[in-house]
Amino acid sequence: MNVLIVEDERSLAREVETFLKKLFYTCEIAFTGNEASEKIAVNLYDFILLDLGLPDYDGLDLLSEAKKHNPEAACIILTARGSIQDRVKGLDLGADDYLPKPFSLLELQSRMQAIARRKFDLHSPLIALGEFSLDLTRRILSHHGTEITTITRKEFDLVSYLVLHKNRTLTRMQLNEHIWGSLITDDYDSNYIDAHIKNIRKKLGVFGNTDWLETVRGVGYRIRIGQG
């Protein structure tokens, strides 16, 4: 998942980035409100971690921009401004959670996981995919209980992101941006995603049927779960 960290305290921003990258999140940092505003206007994020106390921007205004340009992004306010008024206003503007500084990185992880469970209606981290199963917590893809070790990190990220958006078609651009991060060029319709999907089907096809991983011609891909 793609995360934007908006934090002017550089050491804290880097600490959060390092921690989340170890959990296989793709991260970007904006040290100023103006930089964050530019990123939010052109990129898509799954999570926006937002410091309200920015020197050049009102964090609540930035939150409003985030909800306008990234309506599906989950926003967590990270701030030393602990007044009830700030907290209520932030939540009223659409923030999904509020974590006062100083905070534990493990608590941040827990809050993000809880938001993801609510957002994607997950009752268990273990997802059945035909003959296969995907463990989102342990990051294991298995066939009848046998772990498939040939799957790479990015291939797992691709399958798991499609699983989170089960039965919904995602474009190649969406998959590129949410798994690889911001698009540097306009070649988002390159064969990166197609090549990864081909490799996934080849590796899993050795074990069983992968009809649940569907190509939507001219659009992108989807994983079909629980439909006839």
Side-chain angles (χ1 to χ4, degrees):
M1 289 191 181
N2 199 16
V3 181
L4 176 63
I5 304 165
V6 185
E7 173 59 64
D8 66 308
E9 188 180 333
R10 292 176 179 260
S11 60
L12 176 58
R14 294 299 186 194
E15 184 180 4
V16 173
E17 177 191 36
T18 299
F19 177 76
L20 292 180
K21 281 186 173 181
K22 290 179 180 179
L23 298 174
F24 303 103
Y25 289 96
T26 298
C27 297
E28 290 184 57
I29 295 178
F31 295 117
T32 68
N34 284 318
E35 184 182 0
S37 180
E38 292 174 1
K39 289 179 178 294
I40 288 169
V42 298
N43 300 320
L44 297 176
Y45 299 99
D46 298 291
F47 283 94
I48 298 175
L49 309 182
L50 175 60
D51 175 22
L52 290 187
L54 300 169
D56 66 328
Y57 222 94
D58 187 314
L60 293 175
D61 288 342
L62 196 58
L63 175 60
S64 296
E65 290 181 29
K67 300 312 291 185
K68 176 183 177 181
H69 295 292
N70 277 248
E72 294 190 5
C75 296
I76 301 178
I77 293 174
L78 309 175
T79 182
R81 286 162 55 177
S83 74
I84 294 297
Q85 290 82 1
D86 281 337
R87 178 173 183 174
V88 169
K89 188 172 183 180
L91 294 173
D92 285 345
L93 286 172
D96 295 88
D97 208 343
Y98 190 105
L99 197 56
K101 297 178 181 177
F103 57 86
S104 160
L105 292 175
L106 291 177
E107 183 177 1
L108 173 61
Q109 175 190 1
S110 179
R111 300 279 185 112
M112 292 174 71
Q113 290 174 339
I115 289 172
R117 286 196 298 270
R118 294 195 302 269
K119 180 178 179 180
F120 299 112
D121 192 26
L122 294 177
H123 304 288
S124 168
L126 193 62
I127 311 295
L129 299 170
E131 303 172 23
F132 300 86
S133 62
L134 185 77
D135 190 326
L136 294 169
T137 301
R138 299 170 60 207
R139 293 183 58 86
I140 292 175
L141 181 59
S142 59
H143 179 261
H144 292 316
T146 300
E147 180 180 355
I148 300 171
T149 58
T150 53
I151 292 292
T152 67
R153 170 187 165 181
K154 286 300 183 184
E155 289 166 355
F156 183 93
D157 290 343
L158 184 53
V159 173
S160 62
Y161 197 76
L162 284 165
V163 163
L164 290 176
H165 295 83
K166 58 185 182 295
N167 304 319
R168 172 183 170 187
T169 301
L170 298 181
T171 66
R172 292 168 178 81
M173 179 180 179
Q174 287 174 312
L175 292 169
N176 261 317
E177 194 157 11
H178 285 278
I179 295 171
W180 275 266
S182 297
L183 300 173
I184 304 303
T185 65
D186 292 329
D187 67 345
Y188 60 81
D189 59 345
S190 67
N191 67 351
Y192 292 149
I193 296 296
D194 297 329
H196 278 78
I197 292 290
K198 181 179 179 180
N199 286 336
I200 290 168
R201 285 178 170 148
K202 182 177 180 180
K203 292 176 181 180
L204 300 188
V206 174
F207 296 88
N209 193 303
T210 60
D211 285 350
W212 41 267
L213 177 53
E214 300 179 337
T215 301
V216 181
R217 189 175 298 277
V219 183
Y221 297 94
R222 69 169 171 240
I223 282 181
R224 177 168 40 85
I225 299 177
Q227 295 187 348

